[in-house]
């Protein structure tokens, strides 16, 4: 009985996870089959899937996928290394944070793509410019979220630790840091999404020879629509996969959140 219940639960969970992709393919097929979208602009989903599988097997799509993932990874590592300490330092002092809040919000509200010319002047063509502009955009999001988390750490736990004689360093290490983690992960997931968007756009327009962004724009120029749509789907898979990975890490690291 127990095994049957577990198998039913597994089957139900599998159906729930499969519903989204099935609905996407079904809506795509209906739009293609009914002519709601010009078939010259929207290929069959099944032809697209077949072409994508072929590109995966040949290794060509994997090379571009890996190039984009590498650039996103480097930009996030830089953003985390620079953003988390800066956010902690700003959040630990409300007056300091208020004095630079305008600058953070100003640049956070400025589209990262508008900064491409500046980063091209600073870093030139090539990967450094792409990674730098994505890292900068992700850094701003992380700084804001980490600082917000530090500023809004629950005071009851901090006061309880201080009442027991804990030093400021001990309070930060054992209380404030852990109180900040949920907001930090929110910022990290947002930063990864922004970094991916910036990298894809940079690969399209800043002299890239590989990457999913380059592949999408190259397929559009050559009118290879199945490759174009397949590459777009691949970027969605990457973004979804990275977000899911961070959610899994978050659940394992801060399983105590909300208690």
């Amino acid at each position: 009985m127990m095994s049957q219940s577990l198998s039913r639960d597994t089957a139900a969970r599998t159906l729930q996870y499969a519903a989204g992709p099935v609905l996407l393919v079904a809506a795509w097929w209906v739009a293609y089959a009914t002519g709601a979208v010009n078939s010259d602009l929207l290929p069959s989903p099944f032809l697209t899937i077949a072409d994508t599988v072929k590109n995966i097997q040949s290794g060509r799509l994997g090379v571009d996928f890996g190039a984009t993932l590498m650039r996103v990874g480097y930009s996030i590592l830089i953003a985390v290394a620079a953003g988390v300490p800066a956010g902690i330092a700003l959040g630990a002092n409300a007056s300091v944070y208020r004095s630079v809040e305008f600058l953070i919000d100003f640049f956070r509200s400025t589209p990262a793509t508008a900064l491409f010319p500046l980063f091209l002047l600073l870093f030139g063509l090539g990967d450094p410019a792409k990674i730098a502009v994505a890292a900068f955009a992700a850094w701003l999001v992380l700084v804001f979220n980490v600082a917000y988390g530090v500023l809004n750490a629950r005071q009851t736990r901090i006061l309880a630790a201080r009442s027991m004689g804990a030093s400021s360093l001990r309070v930060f290490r054992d209380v404030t840091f852990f109180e900040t983690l949920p907001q930090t992960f929110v910022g990290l997931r947002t930063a990864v999404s922004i970094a991916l968007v910036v990298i894809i756009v940079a690969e399209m327009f800043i002299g890239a020879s590989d990457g999913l962004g380059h592949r999408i724009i190259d397929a559009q120029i050559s009118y290879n629509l199945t490759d174009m749509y397949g590459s777009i789907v691949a970027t969605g898979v990457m973004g979804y996969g990275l977000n899911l990975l961070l959610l899994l890490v978050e659940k394992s690291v801060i399983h105590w959140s909300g208690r």
Side-chain angles (χ1 to χ4, degrees), residues 217-237:
I217 202 70
D218 192 50
Q220 184 263 332
I221 291 171
S222 61
Y223 204 68
N224 187 353
L225 294 185
T226 54
D227 191 16
M228 186 187 78
Y229 280 99
S231 301
I232 291 171
V233 171
T235 64
V237 169

Side-chain angles (χ1 to χ4, degrees), residues 72-94:
V72 172
Y74 280 138
S75 65
I76 290 301
L77 286 175
I78 294 170
V80 169
V84 173
I88 290 172
L90 290 175
N93 192 317

Side-chain angles (χ1 to χ4, degrees), residues 146-162:
V146 173
Y148 182 85
V150 173
L151 285 168
N152 292 277
R154 279 181 282 190
Q155 295 299 312
T156 51
R157 293 184 179 182
I158 295 174
L159 292 173
R162 285 177 177 166

Side-chain angles (χ1 to χ4, degrees), residues 100-111 115 136 140:
V100 298
E101 186 176 13
F102 167 77
L103 291 175
I104 295 173
D105 283 341
F106 176 81
F107 283 107
R108 194 166 59 90
S109 303
T110 302
L115 300 175
F136 179 71
L140 289 169

Side-chain angles (χ1 to χ4, degrees), residues 49-159:
I49 292 170
D51 186 55
T52 303
V53 170
K54 189 188 303 180
N55 287 327
I56 292 172
Q57 291 173 340
S58 70
R60 294 193 300 271
L61 183 58
V63 169
D64 289 319
F65 191 95
T68 297
L69 185 60
M70 179 195 68
R71 292 176 183 124
V72 172
Y74 280 138
S75 65
I76 290 301
L77 286 175
I78 294 170
V80 169
V84 173
I88 290 172
L90 290 175
N93 192 317
S95 61
V96 173
Y97 177 78
R98 283 193 294 270
S99 67
V100 298
E101 186 176 13
F102 167 77
L103 291 175
I104 295 173
D105 283 341
F106 176 81
F107 283 107
R108 194 166 59 90
S109 303
T110 302
T113 50
L115 300 175
F116 281 172
L118 172 62
F119 281 85
L120 283 174
L121 288 174
L122 294 174
F123 297 96
L125 291 172
D127 281 356
K130 300 178 187 67
I131 293 170
V133 69
F136 179 71
W139 176 81
L140 289 169
V141 173
L142 272 173
V143 167
F144 174 80
N145 279 275
V146 173
Y148 182 85
V150 173
L151 285 168
N152 292 277
R154 279 181 282 190
Q155 295 299 312
T156 51
R157 293 184 179 182
I158 295 174
L159 292 173

